Amino acid sequence: MMATTHALIGVLLGSASLFVAPELAPVAVFAGLAGGVFPDFDLYSGHRKTLHFPVYYSIAATAALAGAMLVPNPWTFALGFFLFAAAAHSVSDAFGGGLELKPWLGQSERAVYSHFHGQWIPPRRWIRYDGAPEDFALGVALAVPSLVLYDGTIQTLVVLAVMISGVYALLRKPLVNIAEWLVGRIPSHMLAYVPDRFVGDFVQ
Ligand SMILES: [Zn+2]
């Protein structure tokens, strides 16, 4: 799934706070958005492993949310919903495509790494690849409730996320060709700085 889809899931998860403490919803929504995006900061170093913890985030989120219900304040809500969204991101990566340059080919058996199990979880491919039409459609569906619930900054961010998703979905396959062209022109001593999945597919 696209990072923006994860962000929109995070916003929606943060919105659950409206049922318990509406005054803390803005904190929860921003924390959900941040937590939804956070795991993908490992894109260039051990992607879907270094910052992806499907089991541990889930355990931590359960504890943190329980704590937030007992002691509701901006800090406990921020932590709880950040971890909740990061857990949802890590788990939902298993429902997408595999870790490969052209995930629509369906050749990788690595979706997300479970540190708890000590192994890679295989992709279910419900969303075939990040930027797939169904990924964009999911993002739009996720955005609708948030657009109804919020105005101002949150609404703007949600609209922005949908627009970025649309552009990314349109460019998803052409982008790989551009990457292919670029990597073919990188001097060999610089290839150490290029993520393995690019180098592996193009150079070896
Ligand atoms: Zn991810």
Side-chain angles (χ1 to χ4, degrees), residues 45-195:
S45 176
H47 186 36
R48 298 209 196 151
K49 182 175 182 182
T50 307
L51 295 177
H52 287 64
F53 300 94
V55 176
Y56 295 136
Y57 279 147
S58 302
I59 296 169
T62 306
L65 285 173
M69 295 308 120
L70 292 171
V71 188
N73 68 46
W75 295 104
T76 55
F77 266 55
L79 181 66
F81 284 97
F82 179 91
L83 289 170
F84 190 13
H89 175 142
S90 304
V91 170
S92 64
D93 270 349
F95 302 125
L99 201 55
E100 58 190 313
L101 192 66
K102 298 175 181 174
W104 47 88
L105 298 178
Q107 293 170 339
S108 169
E109 282 312 304
R110 294 179 168 195
V112 64
Y113 190 80
S114 169
H115 295 260
F116 176 77
H117 297 97
Q119 63 186 41
W120 287 90
I121 299 171
R124 307 294 200 278
R125 300 197 173 90
W126 296 353
I127 303 286
R128 290 168 300 150
Y129 58 92
D130 61 296
E134 62 269 28
D135 193 359
F136 176 69
L138 175 65
V140 170
L142 291 164
V144 171
S146 303
L147 291 176
V148 175
L149 284 169
Y150 306 107
D151 49 21
T153 310
I154 295 174
Q155 192 181 59
T156 307
L157 287 173
V158 168
V159 171
L160 212 60
V162 172
M163 287 168 64
I164 293 169
S165 296
V167 172
Y168 183 83
L170 283 174
L171 296 179
R172 181 62 176 94
K173 289 184 176 176
L175 274 175
V176 169
N177 294 331
I178 295 168
E180 220 161 9
W181 184 86
L182 282 173
V183 171
R185 275 150 190 81
I186 293 173
S188 55
H189 65 276
M190 295 293 287
L191 284 174
Y193 302 102
V194 179

